[in-house]
Amino acid sequence: MSTYRKYYRPFIGPFDPCSPIQWKSYETPPQLYLGFQPYNLPQNSPKEALRTGTLWPALFAPYPDPYKVSTSEEGEEQN
Amino acid sequence: MWVYEKKLQYPVRVSKCDPMMAKYLIEQYGGADGELAAALRYLNQRYTLPEKVIGLVNDIGTEELSHLEMIATMVYKLTKDATAEQMKEAGLGAHYASHDKALYFNDASGNPFSATYFTAKGDPIADLYEDIAAEEKARATYQWLINMTDDTDLIDSLTFLREREIIHSQRFREAVEIIKDDQSTKKVF
């Protein structure tokens, strides 16, 4: 299963004026990986579909705050 | 910085006196899908792309500058010996009135170059997909230009440039594959 957000460590210069962001992230949403959508994928209930914006869980990609997520994960990754 | 080599990436020979072709070729000089737009697009986007693909985008942006030189050479050769009357006949009267034989960044219809021809969205997928689309549009422009001339030497250079668009498109597609890949440090969330 592919992740819908990727992280990388940008180059950090010794003389950067602002305190560096250690990890940067970018979105890689599900449509990048699905190709031609297969038949008979699992479907959301009508209520879920209305709430999420898609009938297909395989195409559902939430967008959590990238700054929040990366800060909370920074510590774990740096060890 | 750049290191300059005082030669063209591929030879440009023009064997037919056809100033009107210069008017069409200028589309690839200062047009929406032209080499200037391509070079500026990539050289500007490279700062905020993931590290793994910056080098690629830098190299392609640089190559676009060498294509810009080739187009400029074609346009220059086609117009340098034209009289004012010939410029008018070639549909370049308005250009001549404003610029004489000087090259100017505009499209084939005379619209001046604009930064709105390209963008930098900051989202790597959006930016790389735009780059792929730009390469395909430039390839198409080369096809239509080739269709409009029977100068075999000019066609030879344009065919080379068209092929480079194909290669660049392939490389940008590979860049998408690279940044789609989960990287070695897995994050769980």
Side-chain angles (χ1 to χ4, degrees):
Chain A
M1 175 84 177
S2 299
T3 54
Y4 299 153
R5 176 173 287 164
K6 306 287 188 288
Y7 294 87
Y8 65 101
R9 306 202 71 150
F11 171 75
I12 294 168
F15 306 116
D16 288 351
C18 304
S19 71
I21 295 177
Q22 306 274 343
W23 289 89
K24 300 240 177 176
S25 70
Y26 58 92
E27 302 303 299
T28 48
Q31 76 274 20
L32 281 179
Y33 303 96
L34 195 57
F36 216 106
Q37 182 176 334
Y39 285 106
N40 302 321
L41 283 181
Q43 294 187 5
N44 283 320
S45 68
K47 208 174 161 186
E48 271 299 275
L50 280 172
R51 195 184 64 78
T52 59
T54 177
L55 189 55
W56 318 98
L59 280 168
F60 178 62
Y63 181 72
D65 185 334
Y67 294 100
K68 248 182 204 159
V69 174
S70 66
T71 349
S72 69
E73 287 177 354
E74 231 171 71
E76 300 162 31
E77 283 297 325
Q78 278 177 323
N79 53 23
Chain B
M1 67 171 283
W2 277 267
V3 177
Y4 187 75
E5 276 194 58
K6 198 174 164 52
K7 60 186 180 189
L8 292 176
Q9 188 192 14
Y10 185 89
V12 169
R13 293 193 65 174
V14 183
S15 51
K16 185 186 169 194
C17 179
D18 181 11
M20 193 177 281
M21 194 61 199
K23 181 178 164 60
Y24 303 138
L25 282 168
I26 208 78
E27 181 70 25
Q28 278 299 67
Y29 194 65
D33 309 315
E35 302 290 355
L36 179 70
L40 295 181
R41 177 189 295 112
Y42 308 147
L43 294 177
N44 178 57
Q45 284 179 355
R46 64 191 162 147
Y47 294 97
T48 47
L49 284 168
E51 303 253 302
K52 281 188 173 178
V53 298
I54 288 176
L56 171 88
V57 176
N58 183 52
D59 289 352
I60 294 179
T62 301
E63 186 177 346
E64 303 295 0
L65 291 173
S66 69
H67 295 170
L68 191 68
E69 279 192 314
M70 289 177 62
I71 298 294
T73 305
M74 293 174 194
V75 171
Y76 173 68
K77 286 189 178 197
L78 283 165
T79 53
K80 75 185 180 76
D81 297 314
T83 62
E85 197 55 41
Q86 285 171 317
M87 291 291 276
K88 278 162 71 180
E89 283 166 14
L92 287 166
H95 179 96
Y96 185 80
S98 186
H99 309 290
D100 190 353
K101 309 291 181 59
L103 280 77
Y104 190 72
F105 288 111
N106 54 208
D107 68 14
S109 314
N111 304 304
F113 183 80
S114 164
T116 56
Y117 287 159
F118 57 91
T119 191
K121 202 69 201 171
D123 180 290
I125 297 297
D127 283 346
L128 288 169
Y129 270 58
E130 173 181 326
D131 299 348
I132 293 165
E135 294 294 337
E136 303 302 352
K137 287 190 279 182
R139 172 182 57 76
T141 306
Y142 279 120
Q143 290 164 190
W144 315 151
L145 287 171
I146 288 166
N147 292 348
M148 280 192 291
T149 184
D150 57 359
D151 180 337
T152 50
D153 284 327
L154 193 60
I155 288 174
D156 183 59
S157 302
L158 292 173
T159 303
F160 171 86
L161 290 169
R162 177 181 172 276
E163 180 62 31
R164 295 312 298 162
E165 308 297 341
I166 293 170
I167 303 304
H168 290 170
S169 174
Q170 170 63 20
R171 296 296 167 247
F172 282 128
R173 288 161 199 265
E174 287 166 3
V176 172
E177 294 306 312
I178 289 169
I179 69 163
K180 270 166 71 178
D181 266 353
D182 284 308
Q183 325 219 324
S184 49
T185 50
K186 294 268 186 202
K187 291 248 175 184
V188 186
F189 49 89

Coordinates of all heavy atoms in Angstrom, one line a residue, chain B residues 56-95:
Chain B
L56 N 18.0 16.7 -12.1 CA 17.4 16.4 -13.4 C 16.7 17.6 -13.9 O 16.9 18.0 -15.1 CB 16.3 15.3 -13.2 CG 15.4 15.0 -14.4 CD1 16.1 14.0 -15.3 CD2 14.0 14.6 -14.0
V57 N 15.9 18.3 -13.1 CA 15.2 19.5 -13.6 C 16.2 20.6 -13.9 O 16.1 21.3 -14.9 CB 14.2 20.0 -12.5 CG1 13.5 21.2 -12.9 CG2 13.2 18.9 -12.3
N58 N 17.3 20.7 -13.2 CA 18.3 21.7 -13.4 C 19.0 21.4 -14.8 O 19.2 22.3 -15.6 CB 19.4 21.6 -12.3 CG 20.5 22.6 -12.5 OD1 20.2 23.8 -12.7 ND2 21.7 22.2 -12.5
D59 N 19.3 20.1 -15.1 CA 19.9 19.8 -16.3 C 19.0 20.0 -17.5 O 19.4 20.6 -18.6 CB 20.3 18.3 -16.3 CG 21.5 18.1 -15.4 OD1 22.1 19.1 -14.9 OD2 21.9 16.9 -15.2
I60 N 17.7 19.7 -17.4 CA 16.8 19.9 -18.5 C 16.6 21.4 -18.7 O 16.6 21.9 -19.9 CB 15.5 19.2 -18.3 CG1 15.7 17.7 -18.3 CG2 14.5 19.6 -19.3 CD1 14.5 16.8 -18.0
G61 N 16.5 22.2 -17.7 CA 16.3 23.6 -17.8 C 17.5 24.2 -18.5 O 17.4 25.1 -19.3
T62 N 18.7 23.7 -18.2 CA 19.9 24.2 -18.9 C 19.9 23.9 -20.4 O 20.2 24.7 -21.2 CB 21.2 23.6 -18.2 OG1 21.1 24.0 -16.8 CG2 22.4 24.1 -18.8
E63 N 19.5 22.6 -20.6 CA 19.4 22.2 -22.1 C 18.5 23.1 -22.8 O 18.7 23.4 -24.0 CB 19.1 20.7 -22.2 CG 19.2 20.3 -23.7 CD 18.9 18.8 -23.9 OE1 18.9 18.0 -22.9 OE2 18.7 18.4 -25.0
E64 N 17.4 23.5 -22.2 CA 16.4 24.3 -22.9 C 17.0 25.7 -23.3 O 16.7 26.2 -24.4 CB 15.2 24.6 -22.0 CG 14.4 23.4 -21.5 CD 13.8 22.6 -22.5 OE1 13.9 22.9 -23.7 OE2 13.1 21.6 -22.2
L65 N 18.0 26.2 -22.5 CA 18.7 27.4 -22.9 C 19.5 27.2 -24.2 O 19.6 28.1 -25.1 CB 19.6 27.9 -21.8 CG 18.9 28.4 -20.5 CD1 19.9 28.7 -19.4 CD2 18.1 29.7 -20.8
S66 N 20.0 26.0 -24.3 CA 20.8 25.7 -25.6 C 19.8 25.5 -26.8 O 20.2 25.8 -27.9 CB 21.6 24.4 -25.4 OG 20.9 23.3 -25.3
H67 N 18.6 25.1 -26.5 CA 17.6 25.0 -27.6 C 17.2 26.4 -28.0 O 16.9 26.7 -29.2 CB 16.4 24.2 -27.1 CG 16.7 22.8 -26.9 ND1 15.8 21.9 -26.3 CD2 17.8 22.0 -27.1 CE1 16.4 20.7 -26.1 NE2 17.6 20.8 -26.6
L68 N 17.1 27.3 -27.0 CA 16.7 28.7 -27.3 C 17.7 29.3 -28.2 O 17.3 30.0 -29.2 CB 16.7 29.4 -25.9 CG 16.1 30.8 -25.9 CD1 14.6 30.8 -26.2 CD2 16.4 31.5 -24.6
E69 N 19.0 29.0 -28.0 CA 20.0 29.5 -28.9 C 19.9 29.0 -30.3 O 20.1 29.7 -31.3 CB 21.4 29.0 -28.4 CG 22.0 29.8 -27.3 CD 23.5 29.4 -27.2 OE1 23.8 28.1 -27.2 OE2 24.3 30.2 -27.0
M70 N 19.5 27.7 -30.4 CA 19.3 27.2 -31.8 C 18.1 27.8 -32.5 O 18.3 28.2 -33.7 CB 19.0 25.6 -31.7 CG 20.2 24.8 -31.3 SD 19.9 23.1 -31.1 CE 19.3 22.7 -32.8
I71 N 17.0 28.1 -31.8 CA 15.9 28.7 -32.4 C 16.3 30.2 -32.8 O 16.0 30.6 -33.9 CB 14.7 28.8 -31.4 CG1 14.2 27.4 -31.1 CG2 13.5 29.6 -32.0 CD1 13.6 26.6 -32.2
A72 N 17.0 30.8 -31.9 CA 17.5 32.2 -32.2 C 18.3 32.2 -33.5 O 18.2 33.1 -34.3 CB 18.2 32.7 -31.0
T73 N 19.2 31.2 -33.6 CA 20.1 31.1 -34.8 C 19.2 31.0 -36.1 O 19.5 31.6 -37.1 CB 21.1 30.0 -34.6 OG1 21.8 30.1 -33.4 CG2 22.0 29.9 -35.8
M74 N 18.2 30.1 -36.0 CA 17.4 29.9 -37.2 C 16.7 31.2 -37.6 O 16.7 31.6 -38.7 CB 16.3 28.9 -36.8 CG 16.8 27.5 -36.6 SD 15.4 26.4 -36.1 CE 16.3 25.0 -35.5
V75 N 16.1 31.9 -36.6 CA 15.4 33.1 -36.8 C 16.3 34.2 -37.4 O 16.0 34.9 -38.4 CB 14.7 33.6 -35.5 CG1 14.1 35.0 -35.8 CG2 13.6 32.7 -35.1
Y76 N 17.5 34.3 -36.8 CA 18.5 35.3 -37.2 C 18.9 35.0 -38.7 O 18.9 35.9 -39.5 CB 19.7 35.2 -36.3 CG 20.8 36.1 -36.8 CD1 20.7 37.5 -36.8 CD2 22.0 35.6 -37.3 CE1 21.7 38.3 -37.3 CE2 23.0 36.4 -37.8 CZ 22.8 37.8 -37.8 OH 23.8 38.5 -38.3
K77 N 19.2 33.7 -39.0 CA 19.6 33.4 -40.4 C 18.5 33.7 -41.4 O 18.8 34.2 -42.5 CB 20.0 32.0 -40.5 CG 21.3 31.6 -39.8 CD 21.8 30.2 -40.1 CE 23.1 29.9 -39.5 NZ 23.8 28.7 -40.1
L78 N 17.3 33.5 -41.0 CA 16.2 33.7 -41.9 C 15.8 35.1 -42.2 O 15.2 35.5 -43.2 CB 14.9 32.9 -41.4 CG 14.9 31.4 -41.6 CD1 13.9 30.7 -40.7 CD2 14.8 31.0 -43.1
T79 N 16.2 36.0 -41.2 CA 15.8 37.4 -41.4 C 16.9 38.4 -41.6 O 16.7 39.5 -42.1 CB 15.1 37.9 -40.1 OG1 15.9 37.6 -39.0 CG2 13.7 37.2 -39.9
K80 N 18.2 37.9 -41.4 CA 19.3 38.9 -41.4 C 19.5 39.6 -42.8 O 19.9 40.8 -42.8 CB 20.6 38.3 -40.9 CG 21.3 37.4 -41.9 CD 22.5 36.7 -41.3 CE 23.2 35.8 -42.2 NZ 24.1 36.5 -43.2
D81 N 19.1 38.9 -43.9 CA 19.4 39.5 -45.2 C 18.1 39.9 -45.9 O 18.1 40.2 -47.1 CB 20.1 38.5 -46.0 CG 21.5 38.2 -45.5 OD1 22.2 39.2 -45.1 OD2 21.9 37.0 -45.4
A82 N 17.0 40.0 -45.1 CA 15.7 40.4 -45.7 C 15.7 42.0 -45.7 O 16.1 42.7 -44.8 CB 14.6 39.9 -44.8
T83 N 15.1 42.5 -46.8 CA 14.9 43.9 -46.9 C 13.6 44.3 -46.1 O 12.8 43.4 -45.8 CB 14.7 44.4 -48.4 OG1 13.5 43.7 -48.9 CG2 15.9 44.0 -49.2
A84 N 13.4 45.6 -45.9 CA 12.2 46.0 -45.2 C 11.0 45.5 -46.0 O 10.0 45.0 -45.4 CB 12.1 47.5 -45.1
E85 N 11.1 45.5 -47.3 CA 10.0 45.0 -48.2 C 9.7 43.5 -48.0 O 8.6 43.1 -47.8 CB 10.3 45.3 -49.6 CG 9.1 45.3 -50.6 CD 7.9 46.2 -50.1 OE1 8.2 47.4 -49.7 OE2 6.8 45.8 -50.2
Q86 N 10.8 42.8 -47.9 CA 10.7 41.3 -47.7 C 10.1 41.0 -46.3 O 9.3 40.1 -46.1 CB 12.0 40.6 -47.9 CG 12.4 40.5 -49.3 CD 13.9 40.0 -49.5 OE1 14.8 40.4 -48.7 NE2 14.1 39.1 -50.4
M87 N 10.5 41.8 -45.3 CA 10.0 41.6 -44.0 C 8.4 41.8 -44.0 O 7.7 41.1 -43.4 CB 10.6 42.6 -43.0 CG 12.1 42.3 -42.7 SD 12.4 40.8 -41.8 CE 12.2 41.4 -40.1
K88 N 8.0 42.9 -44.7 CA 6.6 43.1 -44.8 C 5.9 42.0 -45.5 O 4.8 41.5 -45.0 CB 6.3 44.4 -45.6 CG 6.4 45.7 -44.8 CD 6.6 46.9 -45.7 CE 5.4 47.3 -46.4 NZ 5.6 48.5 -47.2
E89 N 6.5 41.5 -46.6 CA 5.8 40.4 -47.3 C 5.8 39.1 -46.4 O 4.9 38.3 -46.6 CB 6.7 40.0 -48.6 CG 6.4 41.0 -49.7 CD 7.5 40.9 -50.8 OE1 8.2 39.9 -50.8 OE2 7.6 41.8 -51.6
A90 N 6.7 38.9 -45.5 CA 6.8 37.8 -44.7 C 5.8 37.9 -43.5 O 5.8 37.0 -42.7 CB 8.2 37.5 -44.2
G91 N 5.1 39.0 -43.4 CA 4.2 39.2 -42.3 C 4.9 39.7 -41.1 O 4.4 39.7 -40.0
L92 N 6.2 40.2 -41.3 CA 7.0 40.7 -40.2 C 7.1 42.2 -40.2 O 8.0 42.8 -39.6 CB 8.4 40.1 -40.2 CG 8.5 38.6 -39.8 CD1 9.8 38.0 -40.2 CD2 8.2 38.4 -38.3
G93 N 6.2 42.9 -40.9 CA 6.2 44.3 -41.0 C 6.1 45.0 -39.6 O 6.8 45.9 -39.3
A94 N 5.1 44.4 -38.8 CA 4.9 45.0 -37.5 C 6.2 44.8 -36.6 O 6.6 45.7 -35.9 CB 3.7 44.3 -36.8
H95 N 6.8 43.6 -36.8 CA 8.0 43.3 -36.0 C 9.1 44.3 -36.4 O 9.8 44.8 -35.6 CB 8.4 41.9 -36.3 CG 9.7 41.5 -35.6 ND1 9.7 40.9 -34.3 CD2 11.0 41.7 -35.9 CE1 11.0 40.7 -34.0 NE2 11.8 41.2 -34.9

